Amino acid sequence: MILLNKDMLHFGKPSVAAPIAERRPVSRVVHNTTLTDDYGWLRADNWQAALRDPSLLPADITAYLQAENAHAGALLEPLEPVIADLVAEMRGRIKEDDTGVPVPDGPFDYYERYREGGQHPLICRRPRGGDTEHVMLDGDALSEGKAFFEFGGAQHSDDHRLVAWSFDDRGSEYYTLHVRDLTTGADLADRVPDTDGDAVWSTDGTSFFYIRLDENHRPLSVYRHRLGTTADQDELVFQEPDTTVFVQIGRAKSGGLGFITGSANETTWTRVLDLTNPETPARLVLPAGGEVKSNADFHPSLNGVATLLIRTNDDGAEDYKIVAAPLATPDKANWVEIVPHRSGVLITSFAVFRDWIVRLERENALPRIVVREIATGTEHIIAFDEQAYALGISDGAEFDTDTLRFVYSSMTTPTETWDYDMRQRTRILRKRQEVPSGHNPSAYVTRRLFATAADGETVPISLLARADTPLDGSAPLLLYGYGSYGSSMPASFSTGRLSFVDRGFVFAIAHIRGGMEKGYRWYRQGKREHKTNTFTDFIACAEHLIAKGYTKAGKIVARGGSAGG
């Protein structure tokens, strides 16, 4: 979005005429009904192949898209000085040679960093607590000479000798997996194409599991690749027959156990992989059924028993509860409740350590971290002072630790990475996002407001403004909302928003129904027959902001994207 004032709106006549797509009717029959689309020819029949190789896109479609781009370029040409100023302003807030906080794992600290002027990350490690850097993967060097390049992922083996890494150099989102020997710096001969980019190593480092995407880009198949073999020899570990299911893989940081998970619109399932014996078939531990959604982590010796910790909405626990079950017999009859369900308090995620279970909760649109000591069952909350903020758990790679890493920001406070000692209840700031051109949080205000919806519900609003912006109704206001798929909008820091508010805008997020800011009920009341609530909530937020003098009618810009558009 470009920030304009009235003096910038005189575009003049563009030098390139607006293209007009030809009408070429394309018809198809769906449920005995003929549907005709005059512009259906713009959907390439060979779109799967064109994803892998854009040069295969039909010439007439390519020509039309190029004409659209040329017209847009000509239309925006008068604004190029403004755009250049804004780009320079926004880039001035980005630290180009940024370095992530190292993640300790055994003898090494792993991290990513960028070099000044670089476009891609350098994936690095160093001896734990040391400063001798080893660049495992140099994204800038790997992308040299390529029109497009994007890393997919990088996962090191348990013995820290190898790293499975992936890239896409066509923009197709089909990633090719490679394996690099970290001693020599050379890639092995192994090449695995058409993956989603992730890999899960067996504990002995001789093979890894991955997801192969089909011709329609669906993640339905899990394979195991043995080092030293070709991809066409890979073993099919699991095939999902339902094309509406999204399959993912992961592993427990406690070691030895991998997860294959499937999620559909209303349900999930989980299978486990024995990474110590990778030829063992995947075993179903959490079956799909009804509208039950569950996910699991693993503790190898909870009260002396290998145990799954399960976050689930089963038995009417719509905002989730946490239960424990023996890995050997994880049937529902053997579940033991650890954290009970509380309506309106949504458990969004959790992490398992040797002595701790940590969960991230959200109540009334505000997140919080709750730390539970396994031995005693006692809990404490990590507290924060601002009215509205964003919070995330970054639980690291190690299981046997008292240190929890979390990430905090607000609409005025740049992102902060903290290490929290769960036993001593103390925290150490590891990194604060640097804004090279300068940022003074006290020059801005973050506020949490509540609008009353048409049916009496209270709808949270997160608001950002400069402290010196008059809140007398004279300020223009950008109101953002989403309200779909249960996605909650965090009140997080964004350098891009500062360009709005520094020019006198008020920026507000309407936490409307359809998200989960106030629990699963908030999602249910914004979908299907209740979808109207999403829109009336947004209107109620706009009316509340007008009534409270933050702006006035006619000065609000409404913004949404994707399903929240």
Side-chain angles (χ1 to χ4, degrees):
M1 182 174 290
I2 299 172
L3 305 173
L4 305 173
N5 61 43
K6 61 183 177 63
D7 297 322
M8 302 175 187
L9 296 176
H10 303 291
F11 291 98
K13 186 177 181 179
S15 59
V16 178
I20 299 175
E22 296 180 30
R23 293 177 180 269
R24 302 185 203 167
V26 176
S27 298
R28 60 193 178 109
V29 178
V30 179
H31 302 306
N32 297 319
T33 300
T34 299
L35 304 176
T36 300
D37 181 357
D38 287 344
Y39 305 101
W41 64 273
L42 286 167
R43 182 187 186 275
D45 291 334
N46 68 335
W47 64 269
Q48 294 101 325
L51 268 177
R52 290 180 167 86
D53 184 356
S55 68
L56 299 177
L57 195 67
D60 54 351
I61 297 177
T62 299
Y64 181 75
L65 294 176
Q66 289 173 341
E68 288 275 13
N69 289 337
H71 174 67
L75 190 67
L76 294 172
E77 186 177 3
L79 295 175
E80 287 181 357
V82 180
I83 295 171
D85 288 345
L86 286 169
V87 169
E89 178 181 311
M90 293 177 182
R91 288 197 67 166
R93 298 192 185 106
I94 299 172
K95 182 175 173 58
E96 293 192 11
D97 56 343
D98 198 19
T99 301
V101 180
V103 177
D105 186 16
F108 294 101
D109 291 330
Y110 289 86
Y111 60 98
E112 291 186 6
R113 68 174 178 86
Y114 289 80
R115 59 168 59 92
E116 188 170 356
Q119 298 294 317
H120 303 281
L122 284 70
I123 300 175
C124 310
R125 74 179 183 186
R126 66 192 186 196
R128 187 165 183 156
D131 56 9
T132 303
E133 180 177 83
H134 174 202
V135 177
M136 300 185 294
L137 298 162
D138 184 334
D140 290 325
L142 291 165
S143 67
E144 191 171 346
K146 297 180 183 293
F148 180 90
F149 179 85
E150 183 180 56
F151 272 127
Q155 292 83 30
H156 59 269
S157 58
D158 287 16
D159 60 7
H160 305 273
R161 187 176 58 87
L162 303 169
V163 60
W165 67 280
S166 61
F167 72 92
D168 167 25
D169 62 359
R170 295 181 180 271
S172 65
E173 297 184 1
Y174 286 92
Y175 295 89
T176 301
L177 275 161
H178 295 245
V179 178
R180 178 157 295 190
D181 186 321
L182 294 176
T183 302
T184 66
D187 286 335
L188 306 184
D190 302 69
R191 301 284 187 276
V192 182
D194 298 339
T195 81
D196 71 347
D198 290 328
V200 171
W201 283 98
S202 62
T203 55
D204 63 6
T206 62
S207 63
F208 59 80
F209 297 87
Y210 67 93
I211 290 175
R212 184 178 296 175
L213 303 175
D214 70 8
E215 67 278 3
N216 292 310
H217 212 274
R218 292 176 297 212
L220 300 173
S221 307
V222 179
Y223 283 80
R224 181 168 69 94
H225 176 76
R226 293 182 298 277
L227 297 187
T229 65
T230 57
D232 58 4
Q233 297 175 284
D234 290 352
E235 173 194 357
L236 177 64
V237 173
F238 173 78
Q239 177 70 46
E240 172 56 57
D242 185 348
T243 59
T244 68
V245 173
F246 188 90
V247 178
Q248 294 177 291
I249 56 173
R251 66 177 294 167
K253 66 174 175 289
S254 54
L257 201 69
F259 297 102
I260 304 174
T261 59
S263 59
N265 190 38
E266 299 290 351
T267 190
T268 62
W269 52 256
T270 300
R271 286 170 165 79
V272 294
L273 294 164
D274 184 352
L275 301 180
T276 64
N277 187 5
E279 295 186 2
T280 303
R283 179 166 65 95
L284 183 66
V285 292
L286 294 173
E291 296 188 4
V292 175
K293 292 187 174 183
S294 306
N295 65 287
D297 204 339
F298 175 59
H299 196 297
S301 184
L302 188 67
N303 298 321
V305 177
T307 301
L308 290 176
L309 280 300
I310 304 164
R311 169 185 168 268
T312 181
N313 66 351
D314 206 356
D315 295 325
E318 67 173 5
D319 289 322
Y320 293 90
K321 61 184 177 180
I322 296 176
V323 301
L327 175 62
T329 55
D331 302 336
K332 186 177 172 181
N334 297 322
W335 287 5
V336 176
E337 188 174 271
I338 302 295
V339 179
H341 171 253
R342 292 161 295 160
S343 181
V345 181
L346 179 69
I347 302 175
T348 61
S349 63
F350 74 108
V352 177
F353 301 86
R354 188 193 66 179
D355 296 332
W356 313 92
I357 300 173
V358 180
R359 65 185 187 270
L360 186 63
E361 299 180 341
R362 187 185 304 113
E363 183 176 18
N364 212 18
L366 274 182
R368 61 171 172 247
I369 296 173
V370 183
V371 179
R372 180 185 183 92
E373 187 174 23
I374 291 175
T376 64
T378 58
E379 295 185 347
H380 68 272
I381 295 172
I382 305 176
F384 305 93
D385 297 328
E386 293 186 86
Q387 290 185 29
Y389 52 84
L391 193 60
I393 294 173
S394 178
D395 57 345
E398 295 190 310
F399 175 70
D400 187 3
T401 180
D402 291 331
T403 300
L404 169 72
R405 179 164 292 173
F406 67 83
V407 179
Y408 174 92
S409 75
S410 76
M411 296 170 81
T412 60
T413 303
T415 301
E416 298 174 338
T417 302
W418 294 83
D419 278 349
Y420 180 76
D421 188 316
M422 294 181 280
R423 200 169 299 280
Q424 301 299 323
R425 303 190 184 186
T426 56
R427 65 183 82 173
I428 299 173
L429 179 64
R430 296 299 307 274
K431 181 183 178 182
R432 179 178 287 115
Q433 179 184 353
E434 183 180 339
V435 181
S437 60
H439 174 69
N440 179 9
S442 65
Y444 304 87
V445 293
T446 292
R447 294 184 182 173
R448 170 55 56 85
L449 311 173
F450 292 91
T452 302
D455 60 358
E457 283 281 4
T458 56
V459 185
I461 303 170
S462 298
L463 183 140
L464 171 69
R466 280 193 64 90
D468 56 4
T469 296
L471 301 179
D472 56 4
S474 63
L477 184 143
L478 190 148
L479 181 61
Y480 175 81
Y482 188 76
S484 291
Y485 301 129
S487 296
S488 299
M489 298 297 105
S492 55
F493 185 74
S494 167
T495 57
R497 292 174 189 157
L498 301 180
S499 292
F500 284 103
V501 298
D502 284 348
R503 287 166 171 79
F505 269 81
V506 175
F507 178 85
I509 301 172
H511 300 284
I512 51 185
R513 277 175 280 190
M516 289 194 196
E517 282 89 343
K518 297 178 73 172
Y520 198 84
R521 179 183 65 88
W522 204 243
Y523 170 46
R524 284 192 292 104
Q525 291 188 354
K527 63 184 294 193
R528 296 177 179 168
E529 70 272 22
H530 304 298
K531 189 59 186 174
T532 304
N533 288 332
T534 297
F535 307 104
T536 55
D537 284 358
F538 191 88
I539 294 168
C541 290
E543 292 174 339
H544 182 77
L545 291 163
I546 292 168
K548 293 299 181 182
Y550 290 100
T551 191
K552 64 175 61 172
K555 303 197 77 170
I556 295 179
V557 178
R559 185 184 181 196
S562 187

